[in-house]
Structure formats: C-alpha cells, structure tokens
Amino acid sequence: MRDYNRKFRQFLTGGTAALGVTIALAQPAMAQESVQNSASADEASDAGSAIVVTGSRIDRKGFDAPTPTTVVGETELRLGARPSIAQVLNDLPQFRATQTPASTVANTNSSASAMDLRGLGVTRTLTLLNNRRFTGAADLNTIPQGLVKRVDVVTGGASAAWGSGAIGGVVNIILDDELEGLTIGAQNGISSRGDGYRYSFDGTFGTRFAGGRGHFMIGAEYQNDEGILDRNSRKNVGSANLFSPVGGDHAYILVRDVNASNTSLGGLITSGTLKGQTFNADGTLRAFQYGSQISGTTMVGGEGVATNDEYALTNPYQRVNSYARASFEVGDATFWADGSYSRIWASYPFYAESGTYTISAANPYLSDTIRSQLAAAGETSIKVGRVFEDYGYRNFDYYRQNVEGAIGVDGSFADGKWRYSAYYSHGEMRNMQSYHNQITGTNLTNALDAVTDSSGNIVCRVALTDPDTACAPLNILGTGTASQAAIDYVFGNTARAVYTTKLDSMGGSLRGDPFSTWAGPVSIAVGAEARWEEQVTSGLDAVSAAKGFSRFNFSPLNGGFNVQEFFGEVAVPLLDQPFSKLDVNGAARYSHYSTSGGIWSWKLGLTDRIFNNLLLRVSRSRDIRSGSLSELFTTTTTSFSTVAENGNTYSVTRYGGGNADLKPEIGSTLTLGAVFTPSFLPGFNLSVDYYNIKLRDAITSLGAQDIVSGCDNGNTSLCSQIVRDGSGAPTTIYTTYINLAEYKTKGIDIEGTYQFPLSTIAANLGGNLRLRGLATYVPKVLINDGTTTVDRAGDVGDNVSFGTPHWRASGIVTYTSDTFSLDTRVRYVGGGKFNHALDIANNDISARVYVDLGAQVNIDKFTLFANVNNLFDRDPPLTTYGAIHYDTIGRYFTMGAKVRF
C-alpha cells in the first residue's frame, strides 16, 4: 500500500519528471478530422486536410473508391492516450485485439501489437507504412506516434490493389511528411489499483531547407511499461477455469479457484498405496488437501497450484523507436530517403516448472518408514507431482530490434497529368529470446535417480560408474529441500535463440488519365512489385538444439521465399449528371511465389453518387494469401491451456509450429454500401456497409480445445495432433498450422459523424461539437474443419479460436475550442456464450459498456492533457487466462503535457 501511495503521488505531481519537463504539441484539437472515404478528396481538401484514401491505387481528385475505407485522424489518435497505434485501432469495432501487451500472456509474442481486422487473424491484415510493406508491421509499437498524421483502414478485400495478406483489409499508416517545428512531450499513467505504471517521452522535429525544396523530419520516443504481474489483483482473471462438476446438470462450469489436483509445492504422490499424500519440508507425509470436487487433473479449491495464477496480466516492457526522413525536390520529382530504428525489451517471471516424476522406492531421500510401507505393498516406485516454485520461476526475456531503410522518388510529367512512384526498402528484425532457470531433462532424470554410495553418501547413480560426473542428487520431497549444487545442475540452464527476419521490397507505379469519355477522364494505375522475405536462426543453445530441456526448447527456423507481382487498375466514369455520377472500377494482380507458383487476384467495383447526397457502392474481389514465414517455417512455440473432454478437464501443453506444405488460401469478398451526406445538413455523414467474406483453404492454427473437440467429432487428422497418457487423457496438443476446409464471415459496419459550430445553436456559444458513432454487427463466423462447421460469432470466451462478439460499437462526443477540448467516449462490447459448443452451466457472458474521458488545455504553445479509461471500473467477465475482447486492467489514468517551439 505504501508503494501504491508513492506511485500515485508521483503520477499526480509528475514525480517521474514525465510532467515536470514535458514539452510538446500545442495545436487546435480539431486540426484534422477523421473522415470516411464517403467523403471525396475534394471535400476533405475543402475541410482543410487533403486526404487521399488507400482503398484504391487510383489517385484522381474526387474519385470515390468502391471499397469501404475509414480514416482515423487526430481526434481518434489521441482518445484514451493509448500507448501504441495498434491499441488505438483496437478500439475500433472492426478490429479484434488478438495481440496486444494486454493479451499476449504466456507466449513468446510477448508485448507485440499486430492488427487483426474482422477477427480473421493478424496475417490476413496487411499493414503498410506510407503505402509500402515494412518489417515492423508485426509490432506497431515500432512507430513513433508523434509522426503519425492519420491511419487509413480499408475494411474489405484489397489484394488486387496491395497484394497478399489483404483478405481482411489494409491498415496504412501515413506519416506527416510536411512536419515543421520542434515538439517535445511526455506522459505517465497508472491504474486505480496503483499498478500498471507507464511513462513515456517523445519528440519530433521537422524543417524545410534549400528555399523550401528540401524537407527533413525526425521523431523518437521512449516508453517504460511496468506491466501487471499479479493476475489475482483483478476480479475474474486469476485461477478461473472450466471444470466438470460431479453430478451436475451441465457437463462443465466456469468457476474460480481451479487448481491442479496432481501436483503440489512439496510433492504429491499420485500412485500406489500412498496416493494422495504430500511431503512436508522434513520429508514426512500428510494428507493432501484436495478441493471440494476433482475432475481429471484439476479441482476446485484445495492446496494445488493454478498455472494461470503465474502468468502476467499484462506484460512489462520498455521500448525505444525512431524514424527520420529527408526529401528534396528536383524539377517535378521529389527524391526521398528514410530510416527507422526500434527496439523493445523486457525480462520477467514466466511461470514455475512442474510435472510428474518417477522416484525409486529405494530413493535414500525417502524416510525409512515410507520405504518400509512401499516394500510391504510390493511397490518399486512412486510417482510424485511437483511444482518447483521454491526454486524460482522460469524467467523469460527478449530483445526485439528492428532496423529499416528505404529510398524512393515521387514525381509527375506531362504537366502533372501523369504521376509515378518508385521505391526500394530493406529491413531486418532481430528477435532475441531467452528462458532462464530451465530444467534439463537428462540432468533431472540423473539427479532424481539418487542412491547411497559405499561411504554412505547420497549421490547420483551415474556417480557410481563416473566419479567425475557433475550430477548432484536432487531431493524434491518437500519444499526447499534441494541442495544448491543440485539446483544448479538441474535448473541452472538457459534456452536462447536469435531469429532474424529480413525483408527486401521494391516497387514502382504509374498513374494518370490517358483519355476521357463523355462522363469524364478515365484513370489508370499500373505497376510492379517484388519482395524477398527470409528468416534465419543464430545463437541457438546446444541443449535446445538437442531438444534437451524438459518443456521449452527453441528450434532453428531457416527459410524464405520471394514473389514478383504485376498489377493494374482502371476507373471509368459512365455518367456525370447532377442526379448520378456513375463510375466502374476494376483491378487485377498477378503474383508468382517461389513456394507456391502463380496466382491471380482481382476486384470489380461500382460507385454511384446521387444528387451529391447519396453514394452507393459495391465491390466484389478475389483475394489471396500465401503462407507467411512464421506459418511456413516457424520454430516450435509453447503455451499452456485447459481443455474439456468427456466430462473432464485437463491441463495440457500446447505446441505450435510451421508447415512448409501449406497451400495458398483464397478469399472471396463482397461489399455493399451506401453513404448519406445530405446537403441540407452540412457536417453530417452516415455510412452503412455490408461485407461477406469466404475463405477457402484457410491457413490457421487451431486452439487446443478446438482440436480436442474436432477429434471427438470424427476429424482423424486432428486426433493425430493430440498426445495422450496411458489412461487416454490428453497431455500435449500440437497446434501446427494447417489448411482448413472453409472459413466464412459476414457483417455490417455502421458509421455516423456530425460536426457543427455551436454558434449555429446560439450566437454567443463558441467552439465546435463533433459526434461520431461506429458499430459492427457480426452474425456469422463459420469455421469448417473438414468434418464439422461451427459458428463462432457470439462466442467470446478466451479459449475459443476466432471467437467474435456479435456487436461492438463506440460513440464519441468531442467539444473543441481554441484553448480547450473535451472528449467523451462510450465503448460497447457485446456478450454471448463463453463457448456455445460446450455444455457450460454459466455459459452466458453479459455485455460490457466502458466510458472514457479526456481533456486538453492549450496555453500558448503548451498543451496539458488528462485521460481516464474505463471510468466506472467495469470488471471483465469470468475468464480462464485472458480476455481479448474486454478490459482486464480496469480504471486507468493518464496525464501528460506537450510544447511546441
């Protein structure tokens, strides 16, 4: 409590210097509005922010792309003072927070933030930086937020325009390449419980030179997030788990305090005449305190340990990122070069090693009484379930570093009628990972096989024939009983590896209006792109290479592919009348992959603007995605889960991995929409878009429960991914990437915006009021594993692959004036079933409503701001180890300041 008070005082007074030296941006809060592509480029320009959306390669002024596109501007970027662009976007209803620092618990993607449109998976959302691919796309923590001008979100298939991976859509991060002036700032935040402390510093600088022909910009930021290691500090996210009650009306119940029934801190005997006895520190036995009910290897209550309790609620991390760009105009061409550097690192406890181990009945660490009891029963060994918390948690640390550079040119000729662009970029992401305090399997086996030598000393059996062995006998009977030599021999090992991902990409495009029809100019865009992706492994430790660790073993990942692509797009106006402005749009792309050969993607679209008040749009596309490096060649990943089968629940180890035999997946996307912008109500904009996506041969890694359920439903290929013990209980599940038979989803996006000056209400009122509402309704998410089809729409449990709420929505009210702005946001996340495919007593999960508040004060060149997220501290629903749809942190405060020179 004393530490909480100290941190909270620091937070309020800026004791970390995050407020005392803060200096950053001071500008009107409404300097840039967020618009949808329903507003044309002309209208955006008239509003003072020239925007060319990325729903199309066509850049003709006033062109309406047929694919829905949402533009996230300054207002949305500041809401909630989110610590990364990814977490800003995850507040939009179209996204699913599959990977964030708050959701990547107990896996090696720790603190990464990648985008997941439509809940199709992060690999089906193509993320770009200034219209090109970049190695930092897998973790948007790498981008300095102070340089971001806007984010274009294409919420439909866009492979023909942008290439593989755009099945769910495209996220295009646009940086402010017109930046001028020096801006420095800082902020810090803390939860209402005194944890989750975070602070950051940032700065940007931009200037013109050579009479305005040249421009230089640079930005950097540092952030330190302490994370929240104690899961039980929050309601409903500690040791809750699925459990099979005895004699209940339902097969399962989601209940708190579910612990292991086959392990204990001192060692639990799980076989023979002494089964159910646990060891005291002095080696004597007592009855193990079982919970109120037992199911498989789990129980409710009791003195067992829940692995879920050991995972962090949110992962701690530190990060530094920077970006610089220089450009220079030569005639009608602008040559540019940019470079970026980022790194994110952390070290924290992961969880304690545990398992069931066989001990000889003659083991000298057993008391004479116990050995006599075993001898009388004719037992030659016992099985002991042990959790090694007393010898320290396994520690995980990582260091991800991304370095990237690019050069390019943008220009025009023929008096600006034709425009061209070309670029080349190279990036390398080094991901260095280590697990400390690892158990070496062979060492553990040797150390547990303890005997007495001729001198009466307890030694390892191997010491009888090899006196020079390093083996020291390990006593696991009772807590804290092992010698330091044995601990060092068994636990004193580190698994490590360095994975380097390389991306080289280049491309060029030509856009223009070659001729006109009776309705206006015909616009085209043609181009070619190529890229080379590779991943290599270095620094792999010898024990991992030999698969020698008992649980976690890094493995080499070496592979790569290349692709060459050609694309073209055309927009043809068919009618240009006051009552109708009709355009047809088509695009095609041919891609040749070194791994899977050639494949086509295409798009057809049509827009009709009626009386400048109503825009109708429709698009149909064929989208493709080849397997990524991680899906094709990834190292083995390890995590833990609980699965339910035949009325019992089991704790299992889950291994993931790549599959070099994957086929490309093919998506078919249909979008239908309308945008209403009435001339009689200036500032009002309403759009409604329907989407329908069908995906064949979908590449995915199923959840542990999905594999068990699919096997039980007759899918023998899934059964082969399950390892069972002698009794048939699942112990290990391999969730390697596979091609599913089919994946389907559909839904409706709704967005409304209304902005007006308050002087229209009363002449003496100043400032502007902006209202914005966004909602997404998802009625179907159908997963066909080749045997059964399951609808995951409305399944919102954390252990459900592709689970998606039926409804997500947010409403924003923003008031701004020259000196003050106030934001109020309401976020709605629909409820549903934890997992409708299972008979769970408390399967129903209620919806959650979150209220966020924010305020800014502009004083000359200074801006002071404060935010509170989840104002009413709404708890998440009961969950097993992490709720990606709901807020698990609770009420969170952020304060900061900025100044511009």
Side-chain angles (χ1 to χ4, degrees):
M1 185 66 184
R2 186 180 300 112
D3 186 58
Y4 163 78
N5 290 332
R6 175 184 60 81
K7 286 188 175 180
F8 201 75
R9 285 195 301 270
Q10 288 180 338
F11 168 76
L12 292 175
T13 63
T16 64
L19 296 183
V21 299
T22 49
I23 18 185
L25 179 65
Q27 64 179 18
M30 300 299 291
Q32 177 181 315
E33 283 310 315
S34 176
V35 300
Q36 209 184 29
N37 74 331
S38 53
S40 69
D42 286 338
E43 295 166 325
S45 181
D46 292 342
S49 53
I51 293 177
V52 179
V53 297
T54 52
S56 168
R57 289 280 190 165
I58 300 295
D59 59 5
R60 185 181 74 205
K61 191 175 183 180
F63 171 69
D64 292 309
T67 307
T69 304
T70 295
V71 180
V72 179
E74 188 273 339
T75 301
E76 281 71 30
L77 289 172
R78 75 160 186 259
L79 284 173
R82 297 302 193 187
S84 75
I85 296 297
Q87 293 181 67
V88 171
L89 297 178
N90 280 331
D91 287 331
L92 298 179
Q94 300 98 324
F95 288 91
R96 185 176 188 263
T98 304
Q99 282 187 351
T100 72
S103 68
T104 56
V105 293
N107 64 49
T108 53
N109 289 324
S110 177
S111 302
S113 291
M115 303 318 304
D116 186 356
L117 270 167
R118 308 297 187 202
L120 292 170
V122 297
T123 56
R124 297 182 188 94
T125 299
L126 177 59
T127 304
L128 306 174
L129 180 66
N130 283 342
N131 301 316
R132 59 180 172 82
R133 295 174 186 262
F134 67 114
T135 53
D139 184 4
L140 297 192
N141 287 308
T142 60
I143 300 172
Q145 288 181 260
L147 294 178
V148 177
K149 181 178 182 180
R150 70 178 196 275
V151 181
D152 295 346
V153 181
V154 182
T155 55
S159 291
W162 298 104
S164 175
I167 290 177
V170 174
V171 173
N172 194 0
I173 301 168
I174 306 298
L175 302 183
D176 185 4
D177 56 10
E178 300 294 326
L179 179 71
E180 293 191 50
L182 173 64
T183 298
I184 306 175
Q187 68 180 47
N188 59 5
I190 196 169
S191 81
S192 59
R193 294 164 178 80
D195 54 17
Y197 186 63
R198 180 178 67 231
Y199 63 91
S200 63
F201 302 92
D202 62 271
T204 62
F205 173 73
T207 185
R208 293 195 173 276
F209 59 91
R213 291 183 299 159
H215 181 263
F216 175 76
M217 60 183 282
I218 188 170
E221 65 182 10
Y222 166 79
Q223 184 173 114
N224 187 329
D225 190 325
E226 295 184 359
I228 302 173
L229 297 181
D230 182 9
R231 299 182 59 78
N232 289 297
S233 64
R234 302 303 192 273
K235 185 178 180 181
N236 296 341
V237 291
S239 58
N241 224 320
L242 280 175
F243 186 79
S244 180
V246 177
D249 295 330
H250 299 270
Y252 306 101
I253 186 172
L254 191 62
V255 64
R256 296 180 179 86
D257 198 23
V258 176
N259 302 302
S261 62
N262 62 341
T263 59
S264 72
L265 295 176
L268 171 64
I269 300 177
T270 60
S271 65
T273 187
L274 299 178
K275 180 179 180 180
Q277 300 287 303
T278 188
F279 287 91
N280 296 309
D282 60 0
T284 59
L285 290 174
R286 63 173 173 81
F288 180 71
Q289 297 176 19
Y290 286 99
S292 57
Q293 293 190 60
I294 302 173
S295 172
T297 59
T298 62
M299 62 185 178
V300 177
E303 64 174 303
V305 176
T307 305
N308 286 355
D309 288 342
E310 299 177 341
Y311 304 151
L313 178 66
T314 66
N315 297 319
Y317 64 91
Q318 296 182 69
R319 77 169 191 244
V320 172
N321 49 43
S322 59
Y323 173 92
R325 183 182 191 272
S327 62
F328 195 84
E329 297 176 9
V330 180
D332 293 329
T334 299
F335 295 87
W336 58 266
D338 71 5
S340 63
Y341 172 83
S342 69
R343 61 183 172 96
I344 180 171
W345 69 97
S347 178
Y348 56 92
F350 210 40
Y351 62 90
E353 182 73 78
S354 65
T356 299
Y357 310 101
T358 300
I359 302 295
S360 169
N363 188 293
Y365 289 120
L366 292 170
S367 67
D368 293 339
T369 301
I370 295 174
R371 289 200 297 269
S372 298
Q373 289 175 301
L374 295 175
E379 297 177 10
T380 58
S381 66
I382 58 173
K383 292 185 179 297
V384 177
R386 182 67 153 82
V387 180
F388 292 106
E389 285 189 0
D390 46 341
Y391 303 132
Y393 280 35
R394 173 186 284 108
N395 244 55
F396 175 60
D397 62 54
Y398 64 91
Y399 182 104
R400 293 195 294 268
Q401 175 179 282
N402 186 57
V403 181
E404 193 153 9
I407 57 174
V409 60
D410 300 298
S412 63
F413 59 91
D415 295 327
K417 294 181 180 179
W418 290 93
R419 287 131 349 248
Y420 61 89
S421 299
Y423 74 92
Y424 167 77
S425 69
H426 173 79
E428 295 190 8
M429 170 75 81
R430 287 173 55 84
N431 187 357
M432 293 156 274
Q433 301 179 353
S434 299
Y435 282 103
H436 304 278
N437 207 31
Q438 285 265 84
I439 288 182
T440 304
T442 301
N443 289 10
L444 177 64
T445 300
N446 290 338
L448 289 177
D449 190 11
V451 296
T452 303
D453 65 11
S454 58
S455 301
N457 300 314
I458 300 177
V459 297
C460 301
R461 185 181 300 273
V462 295
L464 300 179
T465 55
D466 180 13
D468 296 326
T469 181
C471 181
L474 178 69
N475 182 7
I476 65 170
L477 311 178
T479 58
T481 55
S483 68
Q484 188 60 50
I487 295 172
D488 293 341
Y489 176 71
V490 175
F491 295 89
N493 298 281
T494 296
R496 60 170 54 90
V498 180
Y499 301 103
T500 301
T501 303
K502 300 178 181 180
L503 171 65
D504 287 89
S505 63
M506 61 186 301
S509 66
L510 178 67
R511 293 98 56 203
D513 306 328
F515 60 90
S516 297
T517 68
W518 58 92
V522 173
S523 300
I524 67 169
V526 295
E529 294 176 330
R531 70 180 187 275
W532 297 260
E533 298 189 36
E534 180 186 14
Q535 191 159 39
V536 295
T537 304
S538 60
L540 182 68
D541 69 278
V543 179
S544 283
K547 302 296 181 184
F549 290 117
S550 62
R551 188 68 64 88
F552 273 100
N553 289 281
F554 289 116
S555 57
L557 169 56
N558 298 289
F561 65 86
N562 61 77
V563 57
Q564 295 79 42
E565 302 179 286
F566 303 91
F567 65 87
E569 185 171 0
V570 60
V572 181
L574 301 180
L575 190 63
D576 185 10
Q577 297 294 325
F579 61 87
S580 175
K581 291 179 173 60
L582 185 65
D583 278 85
V584 64
N585 174 245
R589 175 181 291 255
Y590 177 76
S591 305
H592 187 274
Y593 288 87
S594 61
T595 52
S596 55
I599 193 167
W600 282 93
S601 54
W602 52 261
K603 180 190 71 173
L604 291 174
L606 183 143
T607 62
D608 190 7
R609 184 171 288 277
I610 301 173
F611 289 112
N612 288 323
N613 289 324
L614 179 66
L615 175 70
L616 303 178
R617 59 190 174 198
V618 58
S619 69
R620 174 76 165 80
S621 64
R622 182 183 194 262
D623 303 292
I624 62 98
R625 189 181 72 86
S626 181
S628 65
L629 286 172
S630 60
E631 291 166 334
L632 294 167
F633 311 112
T634 192
T635 185
T636 301
T637 59
T638 309
S639 59
F640 300 96
S641 186
T642 299
V643 297
E645 185 181 43
N646 300 325
N648 291 309
T649 53
Y650 304 93
S651 296
V652 298
T653 303
R654 174 183 172 181
Y655 292 106
N659 180 358
D661 296 325
L662 293 172
K663 299 181 295 184
E665 56 187 29
I666 298 175
S668 174
T669 302
L670 171 68
T671 65
L672 299 166
V675 185
F676 184 46
T677 53
S679 56
F680 59 82
L681 188 61
F684 179 78
N685 179 13
L686 174 65
S687 67
V688 180
D689 288 284
Y690 165 83
Y691 68 89
N692 188 313
I693 302 173
K694 298 178 181 179
L695 192 61
R696 292 188 288 112
D697 295 322
I699 300 171
T700 189
S701 174
L702 290 177
Q705 182 63 61
D706 291 331
I707 288 178
V708 170
S709 298
C711 173
D712 292 341
N713 289 330
N715 191 329
T716 55
S717 64
L718 296 182
C719 295
S720 65
Q721 296 176 239
I722 304 173
V723 177
R724 301 178 183 273
D725 62 18
S727 66
T731 59
T732 303
I733 297 178
Y734 289 89
T735 58
T736 52
Y737 288 101
I738 58 175
N739 287 100
L740 286 181
E742 195 172 49
Y743 180 105
K744 297 180 181 179
T745 184
K746 62 182 179 180
I748 296 174
D749 292 329
I750 304 169
E751 179 176 348
T753 305
Y754 184 37
Q755 178 181 327
F756 59 93
L758 291 179
S759 58
T760 59
I761 299 175
N764 61 340
L765 293 179
N768 296 288
L769 193 65
R770 178 175 180 267
L771 312 176
R772 191 185 193 196
L774 303 99
T776 293
Y777 171 64
V778 183
K780 296 288 183 182
V781 178
L782 301 176
I783 307 298
N784 184 335
D785 65 8
T787 302
T788 59
T789 298
V790 180
D791 184 3
R792 288 307 187 187
D795 279 354
V796 293
D798 57 277
N799 197 22
V800 180
S801 297
F802 302 106
T804 304
H806 281 302
W807 280 100
R808 284 192 68 197
S810 65
I812 305 164
V813 178
T814 301
Y815 167 78
T816 61
S817 67
D818 291 338
T819 59
F820 178 74
S821 68
L822 179 66
D823 304 307
T824 302
R825 177 172 61 180
V826 178
R827 292 178 285 131
Y828 173 84
V829 183
K833 301 291 186 181
F834 184 87
N835 185 341
H836 85 279
L838 296 178
D839 179 22
I840 303 174
N842 52 344
N843 215 354
D844 293 327
I845 292 179
S846 61
R848 294 295 190 273
V849 176
Y850 304 105
V851 177
D852 308 325
L853 295 178
Q856 291 190 110
V857 177
N858 299 318
I859 305 172
D860 193 18
K861 295 182 178 182
F862 288 87
T863 296
L864 304 176
F865 63 88
N867 292 272
V868 54
N869 294 325
N870 195 355
L871 176 66
F872 298 108
D873 200 27
R874 288 298 311 274
D875 292 321
L878 199 60
T879 182
T880 62
Y881 67 91
I884 64 173
H885 306 296
Y886 306 98
D887 186 347
T888 58
I889 297 176
R891 186 184 298 113
Y892 196 88
F893 303 97
T894 306
M895 296 180 67
K898 300 174 180 280
V899 69
R900 180 174 181 174
F901 297 96

